[in-house]
Amino acid sequence: MNKLEIIEPGRCSDAQAGGFSSLSPAVFRASTITFATLDDFVARKSRPADGYTYGVTGTPTHRGLETRIASLDKARHCLVVPSGQAAISLTMLALLKAGDHFLISDASYGPAHDFAFRLTQLGVEVERYDPCIGDAIAAMIRPNTRLIWLESPGTITMEVQDVPAIVAQAKARGVLTAIDNSWASPLYYSPLSLGVDLCIHACSKHMGGHSDLLMGSISTNDVALHSALRALQSSMGLAVSADDCFLVQRGLDTMALRLEAQSAKALRIAEFLQGHPMVRQVLHPALASFGTHSLWRAQFTGSGSLFSLVLQDAPLDAFRALFNAFKHIAIGASYGGLHSLAAFYPVQNQANRRFPTVQAPVIRLAVGIEDDTTLIDELGRSLEAFDEVLNASSAKESV
Ligand SMILES: *Cc1c(COP(=O)(O)O)cnc(C)c1O
């Protein structure tokens, strides 16, 4: 057997030596972190939250990305975890304990609801609130309310929340607030500047930008909250790959350009759809016709690439015809990538809500970087296919 090379401990700390310089961040992969002395090793657990102790809480590659996201979020601290959903569940689990009361917006991301209601098994009291509640949230806050969960606009139905009003009521009563800001990205909305305590992103969406990775981030200005999150990240083993951090860094390099292009295309497509006879309602916060448009205008500096549609009442076959007619648009439930996507949410989804704002099936469109005229043509053709099935079925009914 060949003699194996001896790897010297600490060799990675020399990576920047020797006059090397480039435009890309270094990728430090590590499970083991090495320590110079016995005392350093013994004292490793008392390093600050962003110190290096073991690969699970990250390497300089992770810190580089966390620092960049913190700066975009106008936050002092940030940590990254393996998915947007992991960021949601970690935040809830780190902050809530038995006996706490937890208020969650009824329009939040579905898996966030699922996780919240799992916490009832651990003795947390979970209650949904109307996303459009505004400062009437005050009446729902109890002495044991610990956390209010916001997501604005809401997943699928796009209700824009009155975040400043909710934050004011929460702050007056010592209640924490956390927001899922994945739709707008840090470029178009800065909830920490409005007093929200924790800001969550699904980095899988606009930040990664290429539909090829999963990651989540949690930013805060509160070092105690950050330390609690870091400790639970370690204890749950929520490790993120350094290679994925590299990819999100690369995604961030083009995020402003992508988002500017995609949000402009999304708005143009939304305006086209708004005038289409088969479309009953376009749920896009930047359209003046949208119910909570004024709240969007007052708080946001741009709009995302994702919006929803409610069509004329029709049998499921009409929706099948619509989706089958897509050639460029892929069927799938995500956004923020280069490719346009369409997702379908049956009427039961809304019926299952406590405070539904829509009573119909919803189609959600994620607009990519494709030529928007091509997308508009495709949507026009698909709506014709929808119309044909709808007409055929109403002709049958009236016989
Ligand atoms: C996609 C998404 C998530 C979950 O992110 P993953 O990385 O897919 O787990 C959470 N919240 C919102 C609003 C999302 O759109």
Side-chain angles (χ1 to χ4, degrees), residues 335-349:
Y335 58 94
L338 305 182
H339 204 101
S340 293
L341 298 171
F344 180 72
Y345 301 94
V347 66
Q348 291 88 324
N349 272 49

Side-chain angles (χ1 to χ4, degrees), residues 81-88 108-112 151 153-155 180-183 200-205 213-216 306 333-335 364:
V81 289
S83 67
Q85 178 61 12
I88 292 168
S108 305
Y109 183 62
E151 184 181 325
T155 288
D180 185 329
N181 194 25
S182 303
W183 180 80
I200 283 124
H201 293 285
C203 310
S204 323
K205 311 289 168 56
L213 61 88
L214 288 159
M215 198 186 294
L306 182 77
S334 190
Y335 58 94
R364 196 174 73 163

Side-chain angles (χ1 to χ4, degrees), residues 12-33:
C12 284
S13 55
D14 297 334
Q16 304 291 349
F20 173 75
S21 168
S22 91
L23 295 169
S24 2
V27 178
F28 291 104
R29 299 178 55 91
S31 55
T32 300
I33 307 290

Side-chain angles (χ1 to χ4, degrees), residues 60 227 276 319:
S227 303
H276 195 285
F319 290 93

Side-chain angles (χ1 to χ4, degrees), residues 45-113:
K45 296 273 167 66
S46 52
R47 289 184 170 188
D50 291 343
Y52 303 111
T53 52
Y54 187 60
V56 71
T57 53
T59 70
T61 306
H62 299 73
R63 294 300 171 268
L65 174 61
E66 288 167 346
T67 304
R68 190 169 177 186
I69 297 174
S71 141
L72 286 166
D73 274 336
K74 302 180 174 58
R76 280 197 278 278
H77 313 282
C78 174
L79 86 173
V80 293
V81 289
S83 67
Q85 178 61 12
I88 292 168
S89 57
L90 180 71
T91 304
M92 292 180 184
L93 204 53
L95 301 183
L96 296 163
K97 60 177 188 317
D100 285 344
H101 176 234
F102 176 34
L103 286 167
I104 181 165
S105 163
D106 195 39
S108 305
Y109 183 62
H113 274 271

